């Protein structure tokens, strides 16, 4: 099939499903909060009123997701950030109501990718491959075309790599993850005895947790990445990593002459702009390598601490004891015992695991992205009865949040504690990506657009989907 230009669609719309091709949608759905992801309400800024709290519930968010997926009607749907604890209940609608009767859930971790497909359109030809935060599924088309030039396409393999690359200051790991995923695809093509593995049919999609500045994006778009490429002040690789394909991949949303009114594809991450409000902007290295709070934020924490602290100290000031800390945690997290603020406060107040002799807390990003479902032998964390949380340590709790990139959590807590930030600006980025290899041609691209911070009443996630239909060259 020869296609000279790519059809440009704007949501809400349905993707065309070509006979000799595939349609794919990728969507970071924001960790379901039916059981896990209790903090989802903190993603809504400014904080939801009691009247509108239903917007952050999984029932409401799921209905929005179901309606969107049903309307787009892609052959293959790649989700990121699903929870294994309640996966069948959370996404049962995909099979029961939308006809996606094929599914592969990533086999480890708390935030997992999952790929759904319609068996009436494609069939799985090889067991899925689970790498570091990438999920590879390989399909053949199920087509009614048995004669003519398109008949041979039924036997071709189509590889779909669903990615949710590591967040945070982890440029090197993101590069390793995408290199491993693409390499696994190339090796599988050789194992399946494809005629030309260097020109395989490959679609790469998902949340890259980075844009043009990302080494992982550079690797796909330029065909290699090496020690000279810097991300967050660090080299992303100790040696040159070369794409094992004949040519770099195509950024689908910019494909074959696609024109937009403003010339730019829409962002997929639309959230309140908080960095300039929260961080000390004095030095570049302070902002991105060793972030610190702005003077305004420190003063806000000082006022909050003064209102919370009720335990007399040796001087004339007051300090936060166990009851003060528990009241604070209940106000921001709903109850004591959950949240990284709770774990950090316990550490600062002297909690030590009696079994291991350590604070047992680790880094919140490691907690969130744990690659095991096994329970540890650590004792339950508690707020020490005689512990003190000083002003310095109270700010230290939030400094740990800052260094983990939880701007939204800091902003929500400030508002809940009587110090709301002026949320006047929006931060946008294109972290969700959709690529295809040279033998494939984008037939249609579906843009999703939102001008106000997400999630909101109409958007169930902080991310917007990316979607396209493909045919062969």
């Amino acid at each position: 099939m020869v296609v000279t230009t790519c059809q440009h669609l704007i949501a809400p719309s349905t993707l065309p499903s070509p006979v000799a091709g595939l349609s794919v949608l990728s969507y970071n759905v924001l960790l379901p909060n039916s059981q896990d992801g209790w903090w989802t309400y903190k993603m809504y800024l400014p904080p939801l009123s009691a009247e509108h709290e239903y917007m952050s519930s999984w029932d409401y968010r799921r209905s929005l997701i179901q309606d969107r997926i049903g309307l787009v009607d892609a052959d293959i749907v790649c989700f990121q950030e699903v929870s294994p604890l309640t996966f069948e209940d959370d996404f049962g609608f995909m099979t029961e109501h939308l006809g996606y009767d094929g599914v592969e859930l990533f086999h480890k971790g708390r935030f997992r990718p999952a790929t759904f497909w319609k068996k009436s359109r494609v069939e799985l030809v090889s067991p899925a491959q689970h790498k570091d935060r990438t999920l590879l599924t390989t399909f053949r088309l199920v087509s009614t075309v048995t004669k003519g030039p398109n008949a041979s396409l039924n036997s071709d393999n189509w590889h779909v790599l669903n990615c949710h690359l590591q967040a945070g200051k982890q440029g090197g790991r993101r590069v390793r993850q995408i290199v491993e995923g693409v390499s696994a695809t190339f090796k599988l093509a050789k194992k399946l005895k494809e005629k030309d593995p260097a020109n395989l049919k490959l679609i790469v999609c998902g949340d890259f947790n980075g844009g043009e500045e990302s080494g992982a994006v550079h690797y796909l778009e330029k065909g290699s990445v090496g020690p000279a490429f810097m991300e967050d002040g660090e080299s992303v690789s100790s040696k040159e990593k070369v794409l094992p394909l004949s040519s770099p991949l195509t950024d689908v949303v910019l494909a074959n002459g696609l024109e937009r009114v403003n010339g730019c594809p829409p962002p997929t991450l639309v959230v309140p702009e908080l960095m300039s409000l929260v961080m000390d902007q004095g030095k570049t290295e302070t902002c991105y390598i060793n972030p610190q709070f702005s003077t305004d934020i420190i003063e806000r924490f000082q006022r909050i601490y003064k209102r919370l602290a009720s335990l007399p100290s040796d001087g004339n000031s007051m300090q936060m004891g166990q009851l003060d800390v528990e009241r604070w945690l209940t106000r921001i997290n709903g109850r004591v015992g959950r949240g990284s603020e709770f774990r950090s406060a316990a550490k600062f107040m002297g909690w030590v695991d009696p079994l291991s002799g350590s604070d047992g807390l680790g880094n919140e990003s490691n907690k969130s992205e744990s690659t095991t479902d096994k329970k540890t032998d650590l004792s339950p964390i508690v707020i020490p009865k005689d512990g003190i949380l000083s002003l310095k340590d109270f700010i230290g709790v939030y400094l740990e949040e800052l260094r983990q990139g939880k701007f939204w959590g800091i902003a929500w807590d400030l508002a809940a504690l009587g110090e709301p930030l002026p949320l006047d600006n929006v931060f946008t980025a294109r972290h969700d990506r959709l690529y295809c290899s040279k033998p494939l041609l984008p037939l249609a691209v579906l843009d999703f657009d939102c001008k106000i911070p997400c999630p909101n009443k109409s958007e169930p996630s902080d991310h917007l989907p990316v979607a396209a239909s493909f045919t062969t060259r």
Side-chain angles (χ1 to χ4, degrees):
M1 179 180 291
V2 177
V3 178
T4 56
T5 58
C6 183
Q7 184 181 6
H8 182 208
L9 303 174
I10 300 176
S13 181
T14 300
L15 271 176
S17 186
V19 172
L22 284 180
S23 55
V24 176
L25 178 141
S26 176
Y27 198 0
N28 181 325
V29 294
L30 182 59
L31 188 67
N33 54 338
S34 57
Q35 181 172 327
D36 200 354
W38 61 267
W39 63 85
T40 302
Y41 65 87
K42 289 192 175 189
M43 304 292 288
Y44 290 75
L45 293 171
L48 296 171
S49 65
E51 179 185 0
H52 296 105
E53 283 180 353
Y54 70 90
M55 293 181 196
S56 67
S57 71
W58 178 241
D59 284 345
Y60 181 80
R61 295 171 55 220
R62 177 171 50 192
S63 68
L64 294 178
I65 294 170
Q66 178 176 332
D67 290 346
R68 171 166 282 166
I69 300 299
L71 178 59
V72 174
D73 196 27
D75 301 321
I76 297 172
V77 174
C78 295
F79 287 136
Q80 299 87 43
E81 223 170 282
V82 306
S83 170
L85 299 177
T86 51
F87 178 70
E88 290 79 10
D89 291 337
D90 290 342
F91 294 94
F93 70 87
M94 291 292 290
T95 301
E96 297 168 12
H97 300 293
L98 301 183
Y100 290 90
D101 45 0
V103 60
E104 183 74 21
L105 174 66
F106 195 70
H107 65 186
K108 60 182 180 180
R110 185 181 184 183
F111 295 15
R112 301 189 185 185
T115 300
F116 287 85
W117 62 92
K118 294 184 176 181
K119 293 181 179 179
S120 61
R121 290 287 295 142
V122 295
E123 59 181 3
L124 196 66
V125 299
S126 180
Q129 294 200 20
H130 303 242
K131 300 300 181 180
D132 184 8
R133 297 175 68 89
T134 65
L135 175 61
L136 173 63
T137 45
T138 299
F139 302 97
R140 290 196 185 103
L141 302 181
V142 175
S143 175
T144 57
V145 178
T146 57
K147 297 181 179 180
N150 289 331
S152 63
L153 297 176
N154 291 4
S155 60
D156 290 348
N157 295 328
W158 291 64
H159 304 274
V160 178
L161 188 65
N162 182 357
C163 309
H164 188 189
L165 305 187
Q166 183 66 44
K169 189 183 173 185
Q170 297 282 345
R173 185 176 174 190
R174 285 190 286 273
V175 166
R176 292 193 297 272
Q177 289 168 337
I178 197 65
V179 168
E180 182 185 44
V182 174
S183 298
T185 311
F186 178 72
K187 292 175 184 177
L188 179 60
K190 292 201 294 185
K191 181 179 179 180
L192 296 175
K193 302 186 185 306
E194 295 186 20
K195 293 180 181 179
D196 187 1
N199 281 291
L200 50 75
K201 294 179 174 64
L202 171 63
I203 297 167
V204 179
C205 62
D207 180 2
F208 277 61
N209 270 305
E212 288 74 12
E213 78 289 348
S214 166
V217 167
H218 189 274
Y219 172 76
L220 294 182
E221 295 186 357
K222 305 301 180 183
S224 66
V225 68
F229 192 95
M230 306 295 287
E231 187 175 346
D232 293 326
E234 297 178 355
S235 174
V236 298
S237 179
S238 61
K239 60 182 181 179
E240 196 75 13
K241 305 287 188 183
V242 179
L243 197 73
L245 307 182
S246 63
S247 60
L249 301 190
T250 297
D251 184 352
V252 172
V253 300
L254 299 174
N256 38 301
L258 193 66
E259 295 184 0
R260 295 177 174 85
V261 174
N262 63 359
C264 298
T268 65
L269 185 67
V270 183
V271 295
E273 197 289 299
L274 298 171
M275 291 178 65
S276 65
L277 299 175
V278 172
M279 293 168 60
D280 179 3
Q281 302 291 306
K283 297 180 180 179
T284 301
E285 61 268 24
T286 299
C287 287
Y288 300 103
I289 308 304
N290 182 31
Q292 299 292 330
F293 284 122
S294 66
T295 300
D296 174 68
I297 295 299
I298 291 175
E299 290 174 351
R300 290 173 183 270
F301 283 135
Q302 289 171 340
R303 292 194 293 268
I304 290 170
Y305 187 87
K306 187 176 181 179
R307 292 195 291 267
L308 292 172
S310 67
L311 190 66
S313 65
D314 294 336
N316 296 323
S317 61
M318 308 292 278
Q319 54 192 357
M320 290 179 67
Q322 178 195 26
L323 295 180
D324 300 321
V325 169
E326 290 179 346
R327 282 193 290 267
W328 158 59
L329 292 170
T330 300
R331 192 181 304 180
I332 61 171
N333 292 340
R335 62 177 172 83
V336 177
R338 64 184 184 185
S340 49
E341 301 98 334
F342 161 70
R343 292 188 286 273
S344 295
K347 177 184 68 175
F348 281 124
M349 295 174 73
W351 182 84
V352 174
D353 178 21
L355 297 180
S356 70
S358 72
D359 58 40
L361 304 177
N363 183 287
E364 173 66 11
S365 62
N366 294 332
K367 291 279 184 180
S368 299
E369 305 296 341
S370 171
T371 55
T372 178
D373 296 322
K374 296 179 181 179
K375 295 183 179 179
T376 68
D377 293 327
L378 296 176
S379 300
I381 300 170
V382 297
I383 301 298
K385 182 181 297 185
D386 298 324
I388 297 296
L389 187 67
S390 68
L391 172 60
K392 178 183 177 181
D393 289 342
F394 179 72
I395 295 175
V397 168
Y398 283 104
L399 192 57
E400 290 192 10
E401 299 291 293
L402 177 67
R403 291 170 179 170
Q404 293 164 26
K406 297 181 182 178
F407 302 98
W408 48 272
I410 295 169
W412 197 96
D413 287 7
L414 284 170
L417 297 168
E419 295 285 345
L421 297 175
L423 305 176
D424 300 325
N425 297 314
V426 176
F427 171 84
T428 62
R430 192 158 67 92
H431 284 186
D432 302 83
R433 299 266 165 163
L434 187 56
Y435 292 96
C436 69
S437 57
K438 187 176 180 180
L440 299 180
L441 194 64
L443 180 67
V445 170
L446 177 56
D447 283 350
F448 299 82
D449 196 17
C450 187
K451 304 299 185 186
I452 62 175
C454 303
N456 54 53
K457 185 176 182 179
S458 302
E459 294 295 340
S461 174
D462 51 338
H463 290 255
L464 298 172
V466 288
S469 296
F470 303 88
T471 186
T472 56
R473 293 184 184 274

